[in-house]
Amino acid sequence: MKYYNSIIETIGNTPLVKLNAVTRGIPGTVLAKMEYFNPGNSMKDRIAVKMIEDAEERGDLKPGGTIIEGTSGNTGMGLALTAIAKGYRCIFTLADKQSREKIDILRAVGAEVIVCPTAVAPEDPRSYYSVAQRLHEEIENSYYPNQYDNLSNTVAHYETTGPEIWQDTEGRITHYAAGVGTGGSMCGVSKYLKEQNPEIVTVGIDTYGSVFKKYKETGVFDENEIYPYLTEGIGEDILPINVDFSLIDHFIKVTDKDAAIMTRRLSREEGMFIGWSCGSVVWGAMEWARENLKEDDVMVVILPDHGTRYLGKVYNDDWMKDHGFLEERDYSSASVIIGKQSGKGALTTISKDATVAEAVSLLTSVDVSQVPVVDGDEFVGSISDTRLLAQMIDNPGIKDKSIHEVMEKPFQFVPVDTTLDVLSSMINRDTRAVMVRDEKGRPRIITQHDLLESIANG
Ligand SMILES: Cc1ncc(COP(=O)(O)O)c(C=O)c1O
């Protein structure tokens, strides 16, 4: 029988998945390490188990004890799963800017959650750092893992995430990008990778409102860099011990808005339903890659968590609009393009039984480059001028053949609310057009020409 003894044994060995749409125009290969495949849906499962097992080994946590942590939610989830597997009680403190979903999820797995104000200094007795500290002092046989300053955090990534990336890329990785919060996932992986190949370049992703980038570049801890921001999990107003600046070659800052927009694109265009800081990482990594990556380079970006925790925020259109994050172009979609075609009459099609010569004559007379092929009411194929021309040059005899002998596959139907971003990633040299149904259910075609016209004219 193949099985695991408890849920925490399933942690790790997450897949690397190539980014295809959001990396268009960027040289090299960009691979995402999909940490939501962990049982708690984030990379923090790895550090939770490591911090608890190291504490057990040192005798800092004894059977029946209580785990207390100040956590943005993901570490809490990992700790809660570990606590269930090992029989501990959990109390978590977190800042009130955290998603409602994160708090509900922690309570769902049996943890006690205390919500603290965001807009106070870390040393203020009301901050989630201070409350966690105080509870630890007050509750007997309690353990405060403190993911910020507990080096088991970095070691967890050094022992698992780093080697997984090295093995899965067969040592071909040239760049590694990660968000920096506690610093564990950036520095643990960076340390392992740089030991294998010191040439590997690491890019830390920071937020506006955080001290990291300026500190790395100037050595100055500048209080003026600190102001409230919304992105969850990355950036800090402290320098956690897990952040080893010598292991981070460059920092890039990403705004809340750019991160939110990229998060939504990753879900819609890559099918990766990921969390907000994943958008920061990919946005920042792409900014770096655009200028610095070469064709043979392999960049790995780590995507820490899952989208469910952000349904009420970046995945909620009203929330996005309230924060001024939804750009007009986000709304521009296939429906806008077909709306502009409404005066153009019925869709031009050709029967599968027509001859190639008839098809050429049709393409010329209506001045289009491609048309769908039909069999009665059914769309069974497509033809395009460039492909027909190439076939006729190869074999001039085909002009008397039926279209169904030479046609290509039918154009794909897409939903009418498909955005221009997605359409532009679908329509290319090989896929000449897509189709949609208008509000009356009539088929319409969207070609490269329609898309260009729509983008150019707004
Ligand atoms: C959603 C999310 N992204 C990124 C990070 C940053 O990772 P690290 O703490 O390893 O620097 C965290 C950590 O809190 C997180 O919860």
Side-chain angles (χ1 to χ4, degrees), residues 43-44 72 74 179-185 232-234 277 304-305 310:
M43 66 180 181
K44 296 287 183 171
S72 69
N74 288 327
V180 183
T182 66
S185 56
E232 296 170 34
I234 65 172
S277 74
D305 68 350
Y310 309 89

Side-chain angles (χ1 to χ4, degrees), residues 383-404:
I383 53 165
S384 67
D385 53 4
T386 45
R387 183 74 199 278
L388 275 187
L389 182 64
Q391 285 172 306
M392 285 166 80
I393 289 170
D394 280 351
N395 175 10
I398 69 162
K399 61 179 196 314
D400 298 321
K401 288 204 166 165
S402 296
I403 282 297
H404 69 254

Side-chain angles (χ1 to χ4, degrees), residues 13 24 40 100 132 193 212 264 300 364 373 380 407 437:
N13 289 312
R24 239 178 310 120
R100 179 76 227 176
L193 293 177
F212 291 144
R264 290 161 66 102
V300 173
T364 323
V373 178
V380 292
M407 70 189 184
R437 292 202 182 271

Side-chain angles (χ1 to χ4, degrees), residues 42-44 47 72-75 102 147-148 153 157 179-186 232-236 243 275-278 281 304-305 310:
S42 95
M43 66 180 181
K44 296 287 183 171
I47 73 164
S72 69
N74 288 327
T75 306
K102 281 187 179 173
Q147 60 170 334
Y148 292 92
N153 173 352
H157 290 291
V180 183
T182 66
S185 56
M186 165 48 84
E232 296 170 34
I234 65 172
E236 282 303 334
V243 182
W276 193 351
S277 74
C278 304
V281 173
D305 68 350
Y310 309 89

Side-chain angles (χ1 to χ4, degrees), residues 13-82:
N13 289 312
T14 52
L16 281 182
V17 182
K18 184 170 175 284
L19 295 179
N20 296 299
V22 302
T23 47
R24 239 178 310 120
I26 287 172
T29 303
V30 183
L31 305 174
K33 178 109 174 120
M34 302 299 297
E35 287 294 295
Y36 69 49
F37 278 80
N38 284 303
N41 292 146
S42 95
M43 66 180 181
K44 296 287 183 171
D45 290 358
R46 297 173 187 268
I47 73 164
V49 173
K50 184 71 183 162
M51 290 191 299
I52 295 308
E53 291 186 343
D54 285 354
E56 288 172 335
E57 217 163 275
R58 289 191 304 268
D60 290 346
L61 182 61
K62 297 181 192 66
T66 303
I67 300 166
I68 297 171
E69 179 70 326
T71 166
S72 69
N74 288 327
T75 306
M77 183 64 171
L79 287 169
L81 299 188
T82 310

Side-chain angles (χ1 to χ4, degrees), residues 72 94-100 102-103 115-119 128 207 227-235 256 276 313 319:
S72 69
L94 42 80
D96 57 9
K97 74 169 183 181
Q98 303 298 335
S99 323
R100 179 76 227 176
K102 281 187 179 173
I103 297 165
V115 181
C116 306
T118 303
Y128 74 95
T207 49
Y227 47 87
Y229 57 89
L230 296 167
T231 313
E232 296 170 34
I234 65 172
D256 291 330
W276 193 351
K313 292 191 173 178
W319 185 93

